[in-house]
Amino acid sequence: MSKIVIDGRELDVSPDLTLLQACEQAGAEIPRFCFHERLSVAGNCRMCLVEVKGGPPKPTASCAMAVKDLRPGPAGEPPVVLTNSPMVRKARAGVMEFLLVNHPLDCPICDQGGECDLQDQAMGYGIDASRYGENKRAVEDKYIGALVKTSMNRCIHCTRCVRFSTEVAGVAELGAIGRGEDMEITTYLERAMTSELQGNLVDLCPVGALTAKPGAFKARPWELTKTDGVDVMDALGSAIRIDTRGRETVRILPRLDEAVNEEWISDKARHVVDGLRTQRLDRPYVRKDGRLAPASWAQAFAAIAAKAKGLAPARIGAIAGDLCATEEMFALKALMDLLGSPNLDCRQDGSKLHPKFGRASYLFNSTVAGIDRADAIMVVGSNPRREAPVLNARIRRRWLRGDLLAGVVGPQADLTWAYNYLGAGPESLARFVDHPPPAKAAPMLIFGAGAFARPDGEAILAMAARAATSLGVVKDGWNGFNVLHCAASRVGGFDVGFVPGEGGLDAPSMAKAGALDLLFNLGADEIDVALGAFVVYVGTHGDRGAHRADVILPGAAYVEKTGTYVNTEGRPRFAERAAFPPGDAREDWAILRALSDAIGAKLPYDTPAALRAAMRAAHPHLGAVDAVTPADGAAIVALAAAGGAPSSAPFASAVDEYHLTNPIARASATMAECAALARAPQRFAAE
């Protein structure tokens, strides 16, 4: 540690800290535009100037000088730094005057108004007049895709966007051309960006040069009600903030969560908002004479009760979709138990993962933060850039640090980090069972959901366990066996036992013709149910499940209900309701409670609090919100003894089109445009 005196206060700090970070530890506020804790130091804006006693006779950029670079006093006294001296105040005012020389000052029509760092710091550190009388610089706006709107006259060349796209997103599509006043940030050929994280550029831009194109001119920040939520577009469970105005969800932003998503979210999580408003189911429907007709709740329940009357339990089943909260799956399982049916499943993709193999067999056991500790990472049957873009960025950050052995078995794709391609199918994984490489201290195996969603999924799981054992992945203090799920509901469904009971049918079997007479479909839109069964669909959008339904009961989307989501690492995350469902739609647990009464199998939960209490009583770890309950790694060792011969079919990612993986995304015009751009990456603005 090094001693330093900041504004008269002496403290011990790490010598590797920048002066800016040291000053903030001392409680001083340092303005900045170019500096960001997760990006490399650029030293462009000079707004973070401080005075260093005994240093150069001019202000020092605190972001670009480390504590260890300071010289002690003549008698060995600690270095002295002043953050609010007359020299510093005059220097910051001068820097702000220069920054505003070419800025258009169009705050009244700027989408960044109210959240603009330049606006705030000009008020705090600037002066009330400018000495500049010449014409301002004019820069053409750039086309960089469907998600980010450019107003390049406002750009102050902080290069945060360039550094983020290159360092964090790993897609070096932004850069600068020209010098001095003629410098411009551009994609060079004005083509659409391809990163799945490009929406974060808007959060990083301190001046409104980059704003959100889909939400442009929709609302001012002070008009919005802000609610903490959980992202369900993938299984990472990123912390998000949902901004609403009245009954409408206006935008979704990331929340800081160092353990999971840090301060980033994927583009799908951020810009799926318009899909919450379109193609919504807002009233019950009952199929009559082959056509769905509007009905009342009483009529819909009566139709279901008439069909359920007298049915054998074995002819009733339930499938839960990928966006379900854990509470409603717990309630539907309780309903099926009351009906005596063992036919229930949350694995509409046909995955062979199952709680019977032990909780460690379906979790990301290392935790997301554990990626930072890993010294070897092998990805099997997954494309993490599509399946969990924020997690992929974390793997990239670990790779950038160096000393990482990285390999891929399965689809060969641009993951934004370099790896050794080891093969396409199970035979490549089998080589590590018989001939393991030298042991590593913290090795990780990351298996995609697609690796187990195949007919030989159980054999693949056993082989994965054997590979983990031979590679020393599971050891005291470390469990590197990881499953990267794609469905936000999957781990929660496994935890509450939403899988077939003794003699029960799984989801693909229930979807076959003649398998069932009555099927409860809880938002499962990724599976085709054959004709024959009477299908009760509880969901939000007019997607595949609604088209096949005989009765539609309109439910609530994830921003419209309070619930628990368990992410891929087994971390329960609690989301508050931010908006209300449209029309006559209701929260899913309330629909199931009313339906249970109508069919004579009444659930004992009259409030969401009572339901949640029952769920946590049955599964106590679900009450430990935002805490990961470690699973016993012995389950992996036991699983290694299982038999089965996998086929030679190559592994495939569970995600084909990243932007269209669920009914909300498919209802989004923004996601449809992004999907079109992804299919034709050479598309230019002129087209």
Side-chain angles (χ1 to χ4, degrees):
M1 303 297 282
S2 299
K3 287 191 179 298
I4 186 172
V5 178
I6 300 175
D7 292 338
R9 178 184 174 190
E10 182 176 312
L11 65 159
D12 293 323
V13 298
S14 168
D16 295 323
L17 291 182
T18 64
L19 289 186
L20 187 150
Q21 293 169 318
C23 291
E24 290 195 331
Q25 282 195 10
E29 181 179 342
I30 306 295
R32 86 291 298 269
F33 292 114
C34 67
F35 178 80
H36 192 278
E37 289 79 359
R38 303 188 197 279
L39 304 177
S40 60
V41 174
N44 291 339
C45 72
R46 321 308 284 184
M47 194 64 199
C48 62
L49 297 174
V50 297
E51 181 180 356
V52 179
K53 290 292 187 181
K58 60 180 182 179
T60 299
S62 60
C63 72
M65 178 172 281
V67 172
K68 62 185 176 185
D69 296 329
L70 298 180
R71 295 179 298 176
E77 305 96 333
V80 176
V81 176
L82 301 177
T83 67
N84 199 31
S85 66
M87 176 196 287
V88 171
R89 291 196 296 270
K90 182 178 179 181
R92 289 175 180 169
V95 169
M96 182 59 68
E97 188 176 4
F98 272 116
L99 289 175
L100 296 179
V101 157
N102 280 313
H103 193 76
L105 303 177
D106 52 358
C107 302
I109 62 166
C110 177
D111 254 1
Q112 197 89 337
E115 298 175 316
C116 176
D117 291 347
L118 183 65
Q119 198 176 56
D120 295 341
Q121 293 181 37
M123 293 294 293
Y125 302 98
I127 54 178
D128 60 355
S130 173
R131 293 170 284 177
Y132 187 78
E134 287 76 14
N135 292 327
K136 291 180 179 285
R137 175 192 61 172
V139 183
E140 287 188 6
D141 294 341
K142 308 294 190 294
Y143 172 80
I144 61 174
L147 302 180
V148 182
K149 179 178 181 288
T150 62
S151 299
M152 302 313 293
N153 282 336
R154 303 169 186 160
C155 181
I156 61 169
H157 303 157
C158 70
T159 68
R160 278 186 179 183
C161 55
V162 177
R163 285 175 285 148
F164 173 83
S165 61
T166 303
E167 298 167 10
V168 178
V171 183
E173 295 173 323
L174 278 179
I177 58 174
R179 298 183 67 185
E181 188 181 65
D182 296 325
M183 178 178 169
E184 297 181 20
I185 304 296
T186 176
T187 55
Y188 304 111
L189 297 177
E190 294 199 35
R191 56 179 288 181
M193 294 186 68
T194 59
S195 171
E196 297 81 8
L197 298 170
Q198 60 185 281
N200 294 288
L201 296 176
V202 175
D203 295 338
L204 286 171
C205 182
V207 297
L210 303 177
T211 55
K213 185 180 288 187
F217 308 116
K218 294 289 178 65
R220 287 296 195 181
W222 54 83
E223 301 174 328
L224 305 177
T225 301
K226 301 166 179 62
T227 308
D228 291 348
V230 177
D231 173 42
V232 299
M233 294 297 110
D234 56 36
L236 190 61
S238 298
I240 58 174
R241 193 188 83 195
I242 304 161
D243 289 358
T244 57
R245 184 174 58 185
R247 298 180 66 92
E248 180 183 7
T249 301
V250 176
R251 66 177 181 180
I252 293 174
L253 298 176
R255 283 189 291 122
L256 181 65
D257 190 326
E258 296 289 354
V260 180
N261 60 301
E262 298 177 302
E263 57 189 271
W264 320 122
I265 55 172
S266 68
D267 292 339
K268 186 163 55 174
R270 184 186 299 267
H271 290 296
V272 78
V273 171
D274 60 324
L276 294 166
R277 298 188 290 266
T278 55
Q279 299 186 22
R280 287 300 302 269
L281 301 172
D282 59 358
R283 61 187 304 176
Y285 289 84
V286 175
R287 191 176 295 276
K288 297 179 180 178
D289 300 324
R291 297 177 65 88
L292 288 168
S296 67
W297 282 100
Q299 291 170 330
F301 287 152
I304 299 168
K307 184 65 181 179
K309 188 175 182 180
L311 280 182
R315 302 297 295 175
I316 303 173
I319 302 176
D322 293 345
L323 307 183
C324 295
T326 311
E327 286 87 349
E328 56 217 39
M329 289 187 288
F330 179 80
L332 182 54
K333 180 181 185 301
L335 176 60
M336 298 301 291
D337 289 343
L338 290 173
L339 293 174
S341 173
N343 305 319
L344 67 161
D345 203 355
C346 62
R347 307 166 299 176
Q348 57 178 327
D349 59 354
S351 174
K352 300 303 185 292
L353 294 173
H354 197 287
K356 69 183 179 183
F357 299 123
R359 194 165 185 257
S361 68
Y362 61 82
L363 292 185
F364 201 97
N365 294 285
S366 303
T367 73
V368 175
I371 292 172
D372 298 337
R373 294 176 51 198
D375 52 12
I377 296 177
M378 185 194 297
V379 177
V380 181
S382 174
N383 181 343
R385 181 175 170 183
R386 286 183 179 175
E387 297 171 21
V390 177
L391 181 139
N392 188 66
R394 198 147 192 163
I395 297 176
R396 172 179 167 77
R397 187 181 70 183
R398 173 62 190 89
W399 168 75
L400 285 173
R401 275 174 34 209
D403 193 26
L404 176 71
L405 182 62
V408 167
V409 175
Q412 191 171 9
D414 177 10
L415 300 181
T416 72
W417 43 275
Y419 56 83
N420 299 304
Y421 187 63
L422 306 173
E427 69 283 352
S428 301
L429 180 61
R431 288 199 293 268
F432 292 93
V433 177
D434 303 321
H435 307 287
K440 290 283 188 175
M444 290 180 66
L445 283 174
I446 300 178
F447 294 93
F452 309 113
R454 37 190 279 167
D456 60 347
E458 287 195 17
I460 294 293
L461 181 59
M463 177 184 286
R466 289 195 292 273
T469 303
S470 66
L471 292 171
V473 166
V474 182
K475 60 184 74 174
D476 288 341
W478 177 258
N479 186 343
F481 185 92
N482 301 300
V483 178
L484 179 58
H485 291 282
C486 298
S489 65
R490 190 63 51 86
V491 174
F494 286 158
D495 281 354
V496 300
F498 203 95
V499 289
E502 186 69 30
L505 302 176
D506 61 10
S509 300
M510 284 187 272
K512 292 179 180 178
L516 299 174
D517 292 327
L518 176 61
L519 175 64
F520 296 104
N521 182 340
L522 187 63
D525 290 279
E526 317 306 321
I527 188 170
D528 289 313
V529 180
L531 296 175
F534 186 89
V535 178
V536 178
Y537 177 72
V538 182
T540 59
H541 286 72
D543 206 88
R544 183 183 302 171
H547 286 289
R548 172 60 187 85
D550 294 287
V551 174
I552 294 175
L553 305 177
Y558 69 104
V559 300
E560 300 159 357
K561 58 188 174 186
T562 300
T564 303
Y565 299 90
V566 187
N567 77 348
T568 192
E569 57 184 353
R571 183 189 302 271
R573 316 219 72 184
F574 189 69
E576 294 284 356
R577 180 177 62 190
F580 290 90
D584 290 335
R586 296 291 183 268
E587 292 189 46
D588 297 32
W589 80 269
I591 294 174
L592 293 172
R593 167 64 179 78
L595 175 61
S596 69
D597 202 1
I599 61 178
K602 185 177 178 180
L603 293 172
Y605 325 118
D606 293 328
T607 65
L611 169 59
R612 194 166 298 113
M615 180 187 74
R616 292 176 177 177
H619 309 281
H621 69 279
L622 296 179
V625 176
D626 280 330
V628 176
T629 303
D632 187 0
I636 305 300
V637 179
L639 189 58
S647 71
S648 59
F651 290 117
S653 171
V655 173
D656 184 23
E657 287 194 288
Y658 163 73
H659 298 96
L660 305 174
T661 56
N662 58 65
I664 303 176
R666 287 190 288 270
S668 166
T670 302
M671 290 297 100
E673 185 176 356
C674 290
L677 285 171
R679 298 187 199 105
Q682 300 298 325
R683 180 175 171 184
F684 292 82
E687 297 177 5

